[in-house]
Amino acid sequence: MRDEDGRLSGAKSASDGTERLDQSFATVLRDWPVDRVRELIDSRTDADVECALRSPHFAPDCLAALLSPAAFGHLERMAQASARLTRQRFGRVIQFYVPLYVSNYCINSCLYCGFNCRNTVPRQALSVEDAVREAHFLSSEGFQHLLLVAGEDPVNVPVAYFEQLVSALHDRFASINIEIYPMDVDDYARLVNAGIDSLTLYQETYDPELYAQVHPTGPKRDFRFRLEGVERGARAGVTFLGIGSLLGLGDWRVESFYVGLHARYLQQRCWRQHVSVSFPRIQPAAGAFEPPCPVSDADFAQIICALRLQLPDAGLVLSTRESARLRDNLLPMGITRLSAGSRTTPGGYSEESDAEGQFEVQDHRSLADVMNSVRSMGFDPVCKDWDASYHA
Amino acid sequence: MNKLVIAGREFNSRLFIGTGKFGANSVMRQAAEAAHCELVTVALRRVDLRRGAPEDPLISHLDPEKVLIVPNTSGARNAEEAIRIARIARAGGGFDWVKLEVTPDHNHLLPDPIETLKAAETLVKDGFNVLPYINADPVLARRLEEVGTVAVMPLGAPIGTNRGLRMRDMIEIIIEQARVPVVVDAGLGMPSHAAEAIEMGADAVLVNTAIATAADPVRMASAFALAVQAAELACDAGAREESRTAQASSPLTGFLWEEGEAEG
């Protein structure tokens, strides 16, 4: 809501100065404690799954049914329905993006992440000039949707850094996305003015207790500030919102339920924004974090189908964390966006970098190779599906 | 039916095709050819104008001699964005027709009537031939006609749903009132839906999802073209109005005119 001066209202500061929204998904989450979600999922039966498969509307019960153990026997049917729905809503088009890591310094100590500040690994932060050079290389490769990624590194890559970098790249890319630390509305607005249109912010886990365990120190400990990040971004004028839960941390059924609920909430409250969901699954990283709740490939497929069937219009994103074989096979089921040729180390595109990557890339194919593979499956690989001039 | 004319340009086909959602640009081209389509819409967000429009992978698949390429403003959330995109299309690609889409709602892609009207007014003044995508709102259609759009494009059903002429009653009013061509856009899922629209009096139809996502898009494009032609032919052949009661071919009063055997 904007007040008479056109300022964004509905945001206030907590005692420590952090911005809090009056109304947000945090309120919804209070009604859905983990135990309630787990019980709802576990009590779903075959009949509930049948019912969910027939229902064209979102309902927490249906989402729970499609994510439940009872749905496992219906996976092929779910996949077929999910594929049909995706073709109807998105056609035979797959959009491509590429991540650009600008810094792996980080002041957080997330147990699962290669950038954990307690890991003694080679660190690197790109200067604006170096980051622009990397981006130009990616642009010459054919990429037009760019995702800027960084650890929480307020020293090397503060908001002003991204402001400068995005301004420098705005003319060269159709769309610029950021996957960095959450900010307050004013800072997001600065980046929107500079030229971002998309914001990706994974909650990692929607279970506050687990969240506290895996984020022992650093500003990321603030569960709610992160949770409300995409809504602050929307208030600041970001068009595309991306959410996700880090698969492998908590029970995937419970986490995916929360992701679906969050996406649905955003679609209703931020109706001018487009919502997409990513499925980052924990891969080996420095510090050798073993995922406490591993997600199998079959589980992975069930998550994609369940979310597609309940959220027909959500973008579903698959990164190079997954293998070429799995990506090719999951693609027709409901995926709408892929990355390709990714390097997860800062400076990794234009030079051999010693710096630590955020995760191990599993699909090493080039953009051209992935595009060819997509074509051979009867899909149109699209590198441009937005235009910087929308927000000139 | 008289030949379809929009903004002084004649069209031999009443089937227009949207170019999104196809699995390959070559398939899109074949579908447009199979349908003898003379107007296609292209989302500007998909087009790369930096190297010039003819170099763009999508545009380069279309023959501008045979088909009018009309950029759309898909993705615009307000009048300002739509106007900017249309101007960029003209500056970068020489396009002076525009399909105006202002769809702030990313999920159902329903058009914003207020922003659409605002944008139409400005773009008409700019000299564009404006084809506005609208909900099936007869008053809005009139307002757009007043500001000078060259056609109106009411939706038949929510976009991509293949549900046919769900807005039938409102579209009938739009057709009855319109002084510009009415193009039914969005929601037409089967050739019979397209035929129904033409039979109702629509001047043309625009189809994308039903063709692009069919198992065989090229044959589906032919099927739509045939349906549209059949409906045109039926209109020319003088279709009779439907009636709620049966019209007996041997009416009750028939005996009066028969040379029957008189009794007694």
Side-chain angles (χ1 to χ4, degrees):
Chain A
M1 189 184 284
R2 283 172 190 272
D3 61 22
E4 282 174 10
D5 299 330
R7 280 195 309 257
L8 295 154
S9 62
K12 63 181 178 216
S13 293
S15 53
D16 61 353
T18 344
E19 203 166 57
R20 301 294 189 205
L21 301 179
D22 290 340
Q23 277 193 324
S24 79
F25 185 61
T27 322
V28 177
L29 214 51
R30 275 203 288 275
D31 292 336
W32 289 98
V34 174
D35 289 346
R36 181 184 171 200
V37 174
R38 188 168 287 134
E39 197 187 317
L40 182 69
I41 291 171
D42 288 344
S43 61
R44 294 306 91 191
T45 63
D46 259 359
D48 295 325
V49 179
E50 286 288 346
C51 185
L53 274 165
R54 281 195 302 272
S55 165
H57 299 295
F58 180 92
D61 287 10
C62 292
L63 178 59
L66 296 171
L67 288 166
S68 73
F72 187 76
H74 303 264
L75 191 54
E76 178 58 29
R77 251 178 87 202
M78 283 170 65
Q80 304 256 356
S82 167
R84 271 199 307 276
L85 194 54
T86 311
R87 296 296 79 76
Q88 187 205 333
R89 299 298 175 115
F90 293 88
R92 304 192 70 85
V93 173
I94 299 290
Q95 191 205 95
F96 279 84
Y97 73 97
V98 69
L100 170 52
Y101 284 74
V102 295
S103 170
N104 66 353
Y105 284 92
C106 193
I107 54 174
N108 294 308
S109 56
C110 316
L111 299 184
Y112 48 81
C113 181
F115 295 173
N116 182 339
C117 63
R118 291 174 182 169
N119 289 345
T120 44
V121 294
R123 303 274 177 178
Q124 194 177 358
L126 302 181
S127 65
V128 170
E129 294 71 30
D130 286 346
V132 167
R133 195 172 314 125
E134 288 260 295
H136 284 190
F137 170 78
L138 292 170
S139 152
S140 69
E141 293 275 288
F143 289 106
Q144 297 220 39
H145 287 238
L146 183 69
L147 172 68
L148 297 174
V149 192
E152 184 147 3
D153 175 13
V155 176
N156 297 299
V157 294
V159 176
Y161 169 94
F162 285 103
E163 209 172 14
Q164 213 184 331
L165 178 58
V166 170
S167 301
L169 297 178
H170 179 242
D171 287 345
R172 194 127 184 170
F173 289 89
S175 167
I176 301 178
N177 193 342
I178 50 163
E179 186 183 338
I180 56 177
Y181 46 86
M183 306 170 193
D184 59 27
V185 176
D186 288 344
D187 283 344
Y188 279 129
R190 281 169 67 184
L191 297 187
V192 168
N193 287 336
I196 68 160
D197 48 65
S198 312
L199 163 60
T200 302
L201 189 61
Y202 303 145
Q203 187 61 25
E204 322 294 11
T205 170
Y206 288 82
D207 173 352
E209 272 179 41
L210 179 60
Y211 188 92
Q213 283 168 31
V214 296
H215 302 109
T217 60
K220 194 166 171 179
R221 277 186 70 74
D222 190 338
F223 178 89
R224 184 168 161 191
F225 188 67
R226 190 169 187 88
L227 188 69
E228 293 177 341
V230 281
E231 287 174 75
R232 289 193 304 275
R235 285 178 191 225
V238 173
T239 305
F240 299 95
L241 307 176
I243 59 170
S245 144
L246 186 60
L247 296 171
L249 273 190
D251 177 343
W252 62 265
R253 300 182 201 275
V254 173
E255 292 293 344
S256 302
F257 178 88
Y258 284 126
V259 169
L261 211 59
H262 194 184
R264 171 66 176 175
Y265 172 91
L266 293 171
Q267 286 181 339
Q268 288 186 307
R269 298 302 174 95
C270 308
W271 63 276
R272 286 187 170 81
Q273 274 68 30
H274 185 262
V275 180
S276 63
V277 175
S278 302
F279 307 95
R281 183 160 61 158
I282 297 177
Q283 299 290 348
F289 179 80
E290 282 298 317
C293 304
V295 177
S296 73
D297 288 354
D299 302 336
F300 205 87
Q302 188 177 344
I303 298 170
I304 289 172
C305 296
L307 290 180
R308 166 58 70 228
L309 290 171
Q310 283 284 291
L311 303 162
D313 297 301
L316 300 185
V317 186
L318 204 50
S319 79
T320 56
R321 280 174 185 262
E322 301 303 332
S323 69
R325 179 179 170 274
L326 189 68
R327 294 215 305 164
D328 284 356
N329 282 293
L330 289 176
L331 186 137
M333 257 179 231
I335 298 302
T336 58
R337 210 182 302 164
L338 290 178
S339 55
S342 306
R343 303 277 165 81
T344 64
T345 51
Y349 293 107
S350 45
E351 58 191 58
E352 281 298 313
S353 172
D354 296 330
E356 181 65 25
Q358 193 191 26
F359 59 86
E360 187 93 20
V361 169
Q362 302 294 316
D363 182 349
H364 297 279
R365 293 174 297 175
S366 67
L367 172 65
D369 287 347
V370 184
M371 284 174 82
N372 280 334
S373 168
V374 164
R375 270 190 207 103
S376 71
M377 288 187 279
F379 290 88
D380 186 17
V382 164
C383 284
K384 179 177 183 293
D385 190 22
W386 195 243
D387 200 285
S389 59
Y390 279 83
H391 301 288
Chain B
M1 289 171 92
N2 293 329
K3 196 161 256 186
L4 172 61
V5 179
I6 305 179
R9 182 175 171 130
E10 278 191 9
F11 295 89
N12 291 306
S13 167
R14 292 175 188 274
L15 173 60
F16 302 158
I17 293 181
T19 55
K21 291 189 172 180
F22 282 91
N25 288 329
S26 54
V27 178
M28 180 272 292
R29 184 192 59 223
Q30 289 168 42
E33 282 171 0
H36 305 290
C37 170
E38 294 184 358
L39 186 155
V40 298
T41 57
V42 172
L44 212 58
R45 58 192 273 184
R46 291 274 301 272
V47 177
D48 194 354
L49 290 174
R50 289 176 305 183
R51 285 172 295 174
E55 295 297 311
D56 177 78
L58 208 161
I59 301 278
S60 64
H61 274 83
L62 296 162
D63 181 355
E65 296 291 315
K66 289 187 189 158
V67 58
L68 176 68
I69 301 168
V70 178
N72 72 42
T73 60
S74 148
R77 293 178 301 174
N78 53 45
E80 190 196 333
E81 287 177 7
I83 292 164
R84 184 162 59 235
I85 296 156
R87 286 175 178 165
I88 286 168
R90 178 151 69 187
F95 301 107
D96 50 13
W97 290 62
V98 62
K99 183 183 170 206
L100 178 58
E101 295 182 11
V102 186
T103 51
D105 159 20
H106 280 271
N107 295 323
H108 299 288
L109 296 174
L110 290 169
D112 181 328
I114 299 156
E115 297 294 314
T116 302
L117 182 61
K118 271 201 258 177
E121 206 164 2
T122 303
L123 290 172
V124 168
K125 282 185 191 148
D126 274 9
F128 282 95
N129 292 322
V130 180
L131 302 149
Y133 169 56
I134 57 170
N135 212 318
D137 177 344
V139 175
L140 177 62
R142 283 197 147 155
R143 294 285 303 269
L144 285 160
E145 206 178 275
E146 278 173 5
V147 303
T149 64
V150 297
V152 288
M153 304 184 73
L155 55 86
I159 195 163
T161 58
N162 295 336
R163 295 172 75 181
L165 288 173
R166 296 296 167 124
M167 309 301 286
R168 187 183 174 99
D169 292 356
M170 294 301 136
I171 293 176
E172 268 175 352
I173 299 174
I174 292 175
I175 290 170
E176 176 199 308
Q177 295 176 345
R179 286 173 292 131
V180 293
V182 177
V183 182
V184 176
D185 181 12
L188 303 181
M190 290 298 285
S192 56
H193 298 152
E196 193 184 348
I198 301 294
E199 286 165 10
M200 262 170 68
D203 295 276
V205 293
L206 191 146
V207 182
N208 179 212
T209 302
I211 293 175
T213 67
D216 185 339
V218 179
R219 287 173 73 187
M220 188 58 88
S222 295
F224 268 92
L226 289 170
V228 167
Q229 282 165 26
E232 266 185 274
L233 196 57
C235 292
D236 285 342
R240 293 288 175 240
E241 281 178 14
E242 54 181 66
S243 160
R244 288 191 181 276
T245 55
Q247 305 279 331
S249 49
S250 306
L252 298 177
T253 52
F255 76 98
L256 294 172
W257 326 113
E258 281 169 11
E259 292 181 28
E261 312 110 40
E263 270 185 44

